[in-house]
Amino acid sequence: MIEEIPLSRPEINEDDQRAVMQVLRSGRLSIGPMIEQFESEFAELVGRRHAIGCSSGTAGLHMALLAHGIGPGDEVITTPFSFIASSNCIVYVGATPVFVDIEPKSLNMDPDLIEAAITPRTKAILAVEVFGSPAHMATYRAIADRHDLKLIEDSCEGLGGRWRDRAIGSFGHSAVFGFYPNKQITTGEGGMVVTNDDRVADVCRALRNQGRAPSGTAGNAGNWLHHELIGFNYRMSEINAALGLSQIRRLDAIIERRQQVASRYIERLMGNPELLVPTVEPETLMSWFVFVVRLRSGYSSVERDRILDGMRRHDVGCSAYFPCIHLQPCYRERFGTHEGSFPIAESASQRTIALPFYTDMSPRDTDFAAQTLELMITRETFSRE
Ligand SMILES: Cc1ncc(COP(=O)(O)O)c(C=O)c1O
């Protein structure tokens, strides 16, 4: 029997297991040395003054927007081609997401469309490194600075990537990372806000801990029940932080091994005329989050979905990354958004196929996934004729 090739899976080694066990044995499961060490090494890696660990990327985005003072009546420019959390955080704070279409090569927001979307109510640009690509981040920052807006970088998919000499997470006034198990490194669930702004960092530290001032720790009973802000429980436990710390210490090796998987797919699929295979600009160090190909224009979403079904029937995990956010039922209902508004994003989204991709993926499984994709495409084109 062929074993299923999953779409994604985390790599947990013995060091990771030892690190987690050590925390369990210590009895200190929250607010302790692991989160402090993880934050300190993370800040250094991304080259920012502060790193604030939290319970998820979504929680980090929520706090970052609040800390930058974004709220009801404000508009935030963002991409419709992303995981839904990058827009939901704007809705959480009572602001309005203003979508602009994407640029078809990198699939990131089209920088040429941003200025036309700025109004007197615009407070920020929330930019996403889609699938890990840092394309246009420096341009977004220049636009934000020119118009006195904040740039919030949703770096949940890009840990370890670089553009020229700049790390992903260093372009925005603040940036947010996520550590769900399909990410480059995982903490199980977890996130990290990074910033050079002392005040934003203080507010995020308070918000994640029920609005307590940063000195309000469990060991400080006088401050533990004193709440300066309406906050949340968005803390990251010591167990999660220990796992993240252990993983981040081998990030370079993880990026390198993911690059090998991506290179094998590229080599194998590049010549297929039915496919657009991702390319990486020379100035980019890509930290691959997922490996997403696109069917060439002319394929419908029904045909793409049939190809996905066929791959799944052959035990190859795959997915349609991403359905457009503005076409999700909850956005249509709340904002009246509809088809035809962002043609580039909509067209890309109908033709994408995320292939199985993870750090310890074997060359054999990579070849099998690529071969199955090609077979399903051939079958689909035959059934057309
Ligand atoms: C672009 C983007 N933003 C936000 C998130 C949310 O992160 P989390 O799942 O940790 O809440 C994700 C996670 O998949 C993401 O890909």
Side-chain angles (χ1 to χ4, degrees):
M1 198 187 108
I2 302 168
E3 229 174 85
E4 187 190 333
I5 303 175
L7 178 59
S8 168
R9 77 170 174 222
E11 186 199 50
I12 305 294
N13 71 14
E14 285 184 8
D15 288 343
D16 299 335
Q17 294 175 30
R18 248 193 310 277
V20 168
M21 281 309 294
Q22 222 165 353
V23 173
L24 291 174
R25 287 198 197 97
S26 78
R28 182 127 188 207
L29 302 188
S30 190
I31 313 181
M34 287 301 151
I35 182 78
E36 279 184 21
Q37 190 62 29
F38 186 31
E39 289 175 342
S40 147
E41 293 189 23
F42 199 95
E44 166 119 24
L45 185 105
V46 181
R48 314 252 30 200
R49 200 170 326 147
H50 304 283
I52 302 99
C54 55
S55 54
S56 69
T58 308
L61 287 165
H62 187 191
M63 294 196 298
L65 289 185
L66 288 171
H68 280 287
I70 294 155
D74 296 337
E75 291 176 354
V76 178
I77 293 172
T78 193
T79 173
F81 188 77
S82 172
F83 182 63
I84 196 165
S86 63
S87 290
N88 280 355
C89 62
I90 300 167
V91 182
Y92 296 161
V93 302
T96 305
V98 174
F99 295 114
V100 301
D101 211 344
I102 59 172
E103 165 275 297
K105 195 149 176 257
S106 68
L107 304 177
N108 284 349
M109 249 186 312
D110 186 339
D112 291 340
L113 301 178
I114 292 178
E115 282 182 304
I118 296 174
T119 75
R121 288 166 55 179
T122 309
K123 282 284 159 52
I125 300 170
L126 194 149
V128 182
E129 279 111 1
V130 174
F131 306 147
S133 167
H136 312 305
M137 286 294 145
T139 311
Y140 303 148
R141 178 60 189 255
I143 295 171
D145 288 346
R146 203 156 52 236
H147 293 271
D148 199 19
L149 305 174
K150 296 297 175 197
L151 176 67
I152 313 284
E153 209 182 329
D154 177 343
S155 302
C156 284
E157 301 183 359
L159 177 63
R162 302 183 79 83
W163 183 76
R164 295 190 180 164
D165 58 346
R166 298 184 65 174
I168 282 184
S170 70
F171 296 94
H173 293 85
S174 293
V176 179
F177 293 85
F179 311 125
Y180 185 73
N182 65 350
K183 298 297 192 304
Q184 289 88 339
I185 70 156
T186 187
T187 59
E189 295 281 0
M192 190 75 78
V193 181
V194 296
T195 186
N196 287 342
D197 185 321
D198 298 344
R199 194 198 55 80
V200 166
D202 278 350
V203 173
C204 288
R205 286 201 179 95
L207 286 175
R208 77 166 166 192
N209 191 20
Q210 303 285 14
R212 296 176 176 104
S215 58
T217 65
N220 183 350
N223 283 339
W224 184 247
L225 295 179
H226 179 78
H227 306 271
E228 310 235 324
L229 301 172
I230 303 280
F232 311 94
N233 179 356
Y234 281 171
R235 293 185 300 264
M236 177 187 284
S237 83
E238 286 288 282
I239 304 165
N240 302 80
L243 180 55
L245 185 57
S246 175
Q247 295 229 326
I248 206 170
R249 287 179 174 166
R250 61 173 194 277
L251 180 63
D252 285 348
I254 288 174
I255 291 172
E256 170 65 33
R257 288 164 63 208
R258 293 170 85 88
Q259 177 62 54
Q260 283 167 12
V261 178
S263 298
R264 195 165 182 103
Y265 269 137
I266 290 170
E267 209 175 290
R268 174 79 212 233
L269 295 172
M270 208 166 49
N272 189 319
E274 305 301 304
L275 287 174
L276 292 168
V277 175
T279 50
V280 177
E281 298 296 311
E283 292 167 319
T284 295
L285 169 75
M286 187 73 177
S287 171
W288 294 89
F289 162 49
V290 284
F291 193 83
V292 177
V293 295
R294 259 176 292 170
L295 296 164
R296 67 164 171 73
S297 63
Y299 279 85
S300 68
S301 61
V302 174
E303 290 171 315
R304 187 273 312 272
D305 291 345
R306 261 200 305 262
I307 292 170
L308 290 176
D309 284 344
M311 290 178 71
R312 290 189 193 111
R313 271 200 306 279
H314 285 76
D315 291 315
V316 175
C318 52
S319 187
Y321 283 176
F322 289 112
C324 285
I325 297 172
H326 68 286
L327 300 181
Q328 296 285 355
C330 51
Y331 276 75
R332 287 176 189 264
E333 191 182 316
R334 186 182 287 224
F335 299 104
T337 45
H338 50 81
E339 273 101 357
S341 322
F342 307 105
I344 311 282
E346 288 169 27
S347 156
S349 144
Q350 285 170 7
R351 293 180 289 117
T352 50
I353 294 178
L355 295 173
F357 189 76
Y358 38 93
T359 306
D360 60 358
M361 190 165 179
S362 68
R364 185 172 147 268
D365 285 354
T366 313
D367 291 347
F368 185 76
Q371 189 188 341
T372 309
L373 169 67
E374 292 196 303
L375 192 67
M376 293 306 121
I377 293 174
T378 307
R379 220 175 55 176
E380 189 58 41
T381 47
F382 274 157
S383 71
R384 265 186 194 164
E385 285 152 14

